[in-house]
Amino acid sequence: AEPGALHLPPRVSGDPPDDHAVGEIVDAFQRVFGVRAADEDLRTRPLEDVESLLPALEEAGRRYPNVEPGDISVTRVRFRSADSADVRFTVVGSLLEGPVVREAGTWKVSRDACCRVLALAGVPCPPRESG
């Protein structure tokens, strides 16, 4: 899609926990991968397990210094519960799917979804911290 292209609202299935959930999920993807990501410190992005992912995110930025945060489109949100959903989204021209989770009332792009985007850049995700 061209920057500034019109994006239709995502198809929604399952039961959204509230009227704002879909908008908050789309916003989380914009803040992590979209054009709004450029304005935001990595640590403050709504991303699950952000601290452990920082080295991989920084590596992707080093490998692709000329790639601007792109146009991202969320095309489907399937709610599994009040605090989790599966999302289909397009970033850098690639159609991907991955979960979102709600932690302490905030929707966050899951570590898994982030790792799928990093894989497009050839950047491996660090192993999950065992807690």
Side-chain angles (χ1 to χ4, degrees), residues 24-48 50 53 57 68-72 74 89 91 99-100 106-111 113-115 117-118:
E24 290 169 357
I25 289 168
V26 170
D27 184 62
F29 274 85
Q30 289 289 345
R31 287 176 57 198
V32 173
F33 303 118
V35 287
R36 292 183 48 207
D39 305 330
E40 195 160 354
D41 183 305
L42 285 171
R43 286 175 175 76
T44 63
R45 294 186 193 174
L47 178 59
E48 177 190 39
V50 67
L53 291 170
L57 292 166
E68 295 295 316
D71 193 32
I72 178 157
V74 174
F89 60 100
V91 63
V100 289
T106 300
W107 285 101
K108 296 185 176 186
V109 174
S110 71
R111 180 182 212 287
C114 182
C115 290
V117 173
L118 286 169

Side-chain angles (χ1 to χ4, degrees), residues 85-101:
D86 292 317
V87 177
R88 180 179 288 163
F89 60 100
T90 303
V91 63
V92 212
S94 298
L95 180 65
L96 299 168
E97 289 197 38
V100 289
V101 293

